[in-house]
């Protein structure tokens, strides 16, 4: 079979992602802090890009801020939330008007490729008229005593953090130990996990300590002495563990939850309830978790009332002694959009603290004008990159503002009445309204936050599926979760509502919600099951 060469024409469509479009898409999906890092990196790498300090100062004067104040950099004022998106506390961001991003025209290659050609004009606001139609908890937040401490930012407070290991090492200084004992205690403290537990068995830690000794000596122990030395280290670590477990916080250095609870109970006064609690800790933990009073009475040989008192005592203990010392990365949230209520409706504006003031360095740009050739071609490319970066940042904030305004328009009842009034909303509704692609809305609503009268929420929080009702109008899943939270808060502690009962109560209000769906929403709200909510 022979093959003959020939020519043929074939039509095909292909979208080429230019570097400019790729940068636009990437900036759109960055969080505020990530974008701040991107801006700092571009300022370091591109000599044609600089901060527009004059524009920032003029804006501050226009907003009535004192000229003597230093310019506020991105991240200086932040709001901290403990649980997002589930109704975090509101943030106290100052309401400052901000230049509005002009609508970006669609360009060839999709809506994301549209570049802003003009600067931002206007007052940066969008006015929307109202539509008339159980274990131990987290350590309490340290309260400011006034003065500078009250005005400290979350970053300043985080810098004051004292780790669990530092807290324990400080206590160890008061112990009279020789060098070897102090080294063993130091080793144990450094082996604790963030919760304050000693996860590794002592024999394994003794082997690890022996290996460190051999490394320090520069040679291994002889075989006839190695086992003897390992046993000596194991005994030393056991003694050090005894010291560690008598340090504060109580329960630190435990190998498991039962031992952690026992250590805390032993710190309490010797009472019948404490002795009963120690006996309960000797039983399988699942009996304690299920609050199986009948089996605990039978297995511990104590009466019903004493078991209930002991269980109540145990629930007040801390299962994670290191929790208040753990250097957990805090959710530092800087709202991208501010929504405030006015007499005319709701004011939607960009947060001026998150918007970098950038401009092209005119001195360098002017020096390139009139020069041609390969020698300056690279510099001209960097100049073009600087212009692209500024336009892409403008487009990013313009899109965020447009999407946020559309969300406030659709969810205005939430801004009037709270989460119980949330309506079902999907990404496609906003995409169709703004003429953008659904993926663009997804990028805009990820890691972008809105400060509202009810708190600070991620933009994704305002989207949710709908559940059927008797009236034929779908109820938002967010509103249903809020209603479940309300029903649980109002329940009788001695007779908490089961998932089936909650489903029946929702049905009585016209909301069709299956028991399994109630269980899913309850778990998402971090609400314990019925047997754990029941008061003893």
């Amino acid at each position: 079979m022979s093959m003959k060469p020939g020519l043929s024409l074939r039509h095909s469509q292909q979208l080429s992602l230019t570097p400019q479009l790729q940068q636009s898409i990437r900036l759109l999906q960055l969080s505020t802090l990530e974008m701040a890092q991107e801006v700092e990196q571009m300022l370091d790498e591109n000599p044609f890009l600089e901060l527009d300090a004059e524009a920032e100062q003029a804006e501050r004067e226009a907003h009535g801020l004192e000229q003597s104040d230093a310019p506020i950099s991105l991240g200086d004022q932040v709001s901290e939330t403990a649980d997002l998106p589930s109704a975090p506390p509101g943030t106290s961001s100052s309401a400052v008007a901000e230049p509005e991003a002009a609508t970006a025209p669609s360009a060839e290659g999709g809506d994301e490729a549209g570049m802003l050609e003009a600067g931002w004009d206007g007052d940066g606001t969008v006015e929307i008229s109202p539509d008339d139609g159980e274990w131990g908890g987290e350590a309490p937040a340290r309260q400011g005593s006034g003065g500078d401490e009250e005005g400290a930012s979350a970053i300043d407070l985080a810098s004051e953090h004292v780790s669990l290991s530092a807290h324990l090492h400080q206590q160890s200084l008061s112990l009279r130990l020789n060098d070897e004992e102090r080294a063993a205690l130091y080793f144990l403290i450094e082996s604790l996990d963030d919760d304050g537990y000693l996860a590794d068995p002592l024999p394994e830690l003794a082997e690890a300590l022996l290996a460190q000794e051999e490394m320090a000596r520069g040679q291994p122990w002889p075989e006839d002495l190695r086992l003897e030395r390992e046993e000596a280290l194991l005994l030393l670590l056991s003694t050090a563990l005894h010291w560690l477990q008598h340090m504060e916080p109580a329960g630190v250095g435990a190998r498991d939850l039962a031992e952690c609870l026992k250590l805390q109970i032993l710190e309490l006064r010797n009472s019948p309830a404490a002795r009963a609690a120690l006996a309960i800790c000797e039983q399988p933990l699942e009996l304690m978790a299920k609050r199986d009073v009948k089996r605990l009475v039978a297995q511990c040989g104590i009466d019903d009332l004493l078991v209930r008192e002991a269980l109540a005592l145990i629930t007040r203990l801390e299962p994670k002694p290191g929790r208040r010392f753990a250097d957990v990365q805090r959710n530092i949230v800087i709202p991208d959009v501010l929504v405030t209520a006015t007499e005319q409706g709701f004011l939607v504006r960009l947060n001026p603290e998150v918007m970098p003031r950038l401009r092209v360095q005119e001195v360098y740009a002017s020096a390139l004008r009139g020069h041609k050739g390969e020698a300056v071609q690279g510099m001209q490319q960097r100049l073009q990159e600087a212009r692209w970066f500024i336009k892409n940042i403008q487009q990013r904030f313009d899109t965020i503002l447009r999407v946020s305004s559309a969300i406030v328009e659709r969810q205005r009842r939430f801004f009037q009445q709270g989460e119980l009034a949330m309506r079902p909303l999907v990404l496609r509704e906003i995409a169709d309204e703004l003429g953008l692609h659904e993926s663009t809305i997804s990028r805009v609503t990820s890691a972008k936050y809105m400060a509202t009268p009810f708190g600070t929420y991620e933009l994704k929080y305002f989207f949710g599926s709908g559940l059927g009702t008797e009236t034929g109008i779908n109820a938002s899943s967010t509103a249903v979760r809020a209603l479940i939270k309300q029903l649980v808060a109002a329940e009788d502690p001695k007779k908490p509502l089961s998932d089936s009962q909650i489903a029946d109560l929702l049905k009585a209000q016209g909301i069709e919600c299956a028991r399994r769906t109630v269980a899913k929403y309850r778990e998402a709200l971090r609400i314990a099951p019925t047997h754990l909510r029941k008061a003893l």
Side-chain angles (χ1 to χ4, degrees):
M1 179 179 177
S2 62
M3 299 182 65
K4 297 181 179 180
L7 297 175
S8 63
L9 294 176
R10 183 174 60 183
H11 295 278
S12 64
Q13 291 184 344
Q14 182 178 1
L15 177 62
S16 177
L17 290 177
T18 64
Q20 185 180 9
L21 178 56
Q22 292 178 24
Q23 185 186 70
S24 174
I25 295 173
R26 188 167 56 84
L27 289 177
L28 193 60
Q29 62 191 15
L30 293 180
S31 67
T32 298
L33 294 179
E34 290 171 339
M35 195 203 67
Q37 295 173 356
E38 185 79 11
V39 170
E40 290 178 4
Q41 182 178 348
M42 285 293 294
L43 287 170
D44 291 338
E45 295 178 354
N46 197 315
F48 294 97
L49 201 62
E50 67 174 356
L51 286 174
D52 191 353
E54 295 179 1
E56 185 173 357
Q57 181 65 22
E59 181 183 338
R60 290 172 58 79
E61 293 175 0
H63 295 140
L65 301 178
E66 295 182 5
Q67 298 183 28
S68 59
D69 289 345
I72 302 177
S73 61
L74 178 61
D76 282 349
Q77 292 185 356
V78 296
S79 70
E80 182 174 347
T81 173
D83 189 12
L84 287 174
S86 175
T91 57
S92 58
S93 301
S94 58
V96 184
E98 175 54 33
E100 178 183 356
T103 302
S106 297
E108 190 175 323
D111 50 54
E112 290 171 338
M115 293 291 111
L116 287 178
E117 295 298 331
W120 288 344
D121 298 320
D123 59 0
T125 62
V126 177
E127 298 207 16
I128 308 284
S129 298
D131 182 11
D132 295 333
E134 166 156 331
W135 284 97
E138 297 282 354
R142 178 168 39 191
Q143 299 295 328
S145 58
D148 295 338
E149 189 170 332
E150 290 184 352
S153 68
I155 294 178
D156 295 333
L157 294 177
S159 64
E160 299 175 3
H161 167 78
V162 177
S163 65
L164 175 64
S165 60
H167 180 67
L168 294 173
H169 287 315
Q170 185 67 29
Q171 295 178 65
S172 70
L173 297 177
S174 63
L175 299 176
R176 294 184 178 180
L177 307 174
N178 59 38
D179 293 343
E180 196 172 50
E181 292 169 338
R182 191 170 299 280
L185 180 57
Y186 181 92
F187 184 75
L188 284 184
I189 291 175
E190 292 301 315
S191 300
L192 297 175
D193 62 18
D194 289 341
D195 294 329
Y197 282 84
L198 193 63
D200 298 321
L202 285 184
E204 292 185 11
L205 292 174
E207 290 181 8
L209 189 55
L210 182 62
Q212 288 188 10
E213 276 191 354
E214 292 177 336
M215 186 178 299
R217 294 176 71 242
Q219 59 181 348
W221 285 93
E223 286 297 329
D224 56 336
L225 297 178
R226 196 174 197 280
L227 182 59
E228 181 181 345
R229 180 56 182 167
E230 187 173 343
E231 290 177 352
L233 288 176
L234 181 58
L235 180 60
L236 186 62
L237 288 175
S238 299
T239 304
L241 180 61
H242 174 75
W243 298 325
L244 175 60
Q245 291 183 344
H246 283 78
M247 290 183 177
E248 197 276 332
V252 71
R255 272 73 62 86
D256 52 44
L257 177 59
E259 185 178 23
C260 177
L261 298 176
K262 290 177 189 176
L263 291 172
Q264 294 180 65
I265 294 170
L266 291 173
E267 294 290 328
L268 304 175
R269 64 183 179 86
N270 187 11
S271 65
R275 291 193 294 271
L278 285 174
I280 290 174
C281 290
E282 297 292 340
Q283 306 303 319
L285 288 181
E286 58 189 34
L287 298 181
M288 186 195 311
K290 294 180 179 178
R291 300 189 182 185
D292 195 336
V293 176
K294 291 184 179 179
R295 290 186 61 185
L296 288 173
V297 167
Q299 294 189 208
C300 296
I302 50 183
D303 61 64
D304 183 282
L305 180 60
L306 198 54
V307 167
R308 294 180 184 276
E309 290 180 2
L311 288 176
L313 183 151
I314 290 173
T315 57
R316 293 194 296 270
L317 302 178
E318 173 57 80
K320 298 179 180 180
R323 175 168 14 202
R324 64 189 174 98
F325 297 95
D327 190 11
V328 179
Q329 184 178 5
R330 304 185 180 192
N331 293 322
I332 299 178
V333 176
I334 304 175
D336 299 85
V337 179
L338 308 176
V339 179
T340 53
T342 66
E343 294 181 357
Q344 293 75 27
F346 294 98
L347 196 62
V348 184
R349 51 196 159 185
L350 295 168
N351 184 357
E353 303 300 337
V354 304
M355 298 181 61
R357 296 288 174 267
L358 301 175
R359 68 181 180 186
V360 172
Q361 172 58 264
E362 286 298 329
V363 175
Y364 295 162
S366 299
L368 281 182
R369 294 193 185 109
H371 290 79
K372 296 182 180 179
E374 296 182 1
V376 297
Q377 188 174 3
M379 298 301 292
Q380 289 175 342
Q381 183 178 355
R382 300 308 299 272
L383 175 59
Q384 186 60 42
E385 288 176 0
R387 290 170 176 162
W388 283 350
F389 188 73
I390 293 174
K391 289 184 178 180
N392 284 335
I393 289 229
Q394 290 176 341
Q395 184 188 16
R396 177 187 187 272
F397 283 102
D398 166 71
T399 308
I400 291 174
L401 181 62
R402 293 174 62 203
V403 171
S404 301
S405 301
I407 290 174
V408 174
E409 175 69 31
R410 295 287 182 123
Q411 299 287 11
R412 59 165 62 94
R413 291 192 179 277
F414 163 82
F415 293 92
Q416 295 170 342
Q417 305 169 26
E419 56 187 354
L420 284 175
M422 189 82 80
R423 54 152 289 185
L425 183 64
V426 294
L427 297 176
R428 179 163 294 278
E429 291 184 52
I430 301 297
D432 292 342
E433 178 180 336
L434 300 180
L436 301 173
H437 194 274
E438 194 171 338
S439 63
T440 304
I441 307 300
S442 178
R443 291 188 183 97
V444 171
T445 55
S446 295
K448 316 295 187 305
Y449 294 88
M450 178 186 292
T452 75
F454 297 98
T456 300
Y457 300 86
E458 188 179 13
L459 295 185
K460 276 190 179 297
Y461 174 75
F462 298 95
F463 295 84
S465 57
L467 297 176
T469 64
E470 292 180 352
T471 61
I473 301 176
N474 287 341
S476 168
S477 58
T478 304
V480 174
R481 284 195 292 268
L483 187 55
I484 291 174
K485 189 195 307 182
Q486 194 177 78
L487 291 173
V488 171
E491 69 185 2
D492 184 355
K494 295 182 179 180
K495 294 181 179 180
L497 298 171
S498 66
D499 294 338
S500 298
Q501 290 173 320
I502 294 175
D504 293 338
L505 290 174
L506 292 175
K507 188 175 182 180
Q509 299 190 33
I511 300 174
E512 297 291 338
C513 189
R515 182 196 62 79
R516 286 180 295 181
T517 306
V518 170
K520 182 179 73 174
Y521 288 168
R522 175 180 54 75
E523 292 172 359
L525 292 168
R526 299 181 182 179
I527 297 176
T530 307
H531 66 275
L532 293 180
R533 302 201 310 271
K534 186 175 182 179
L536 296 172

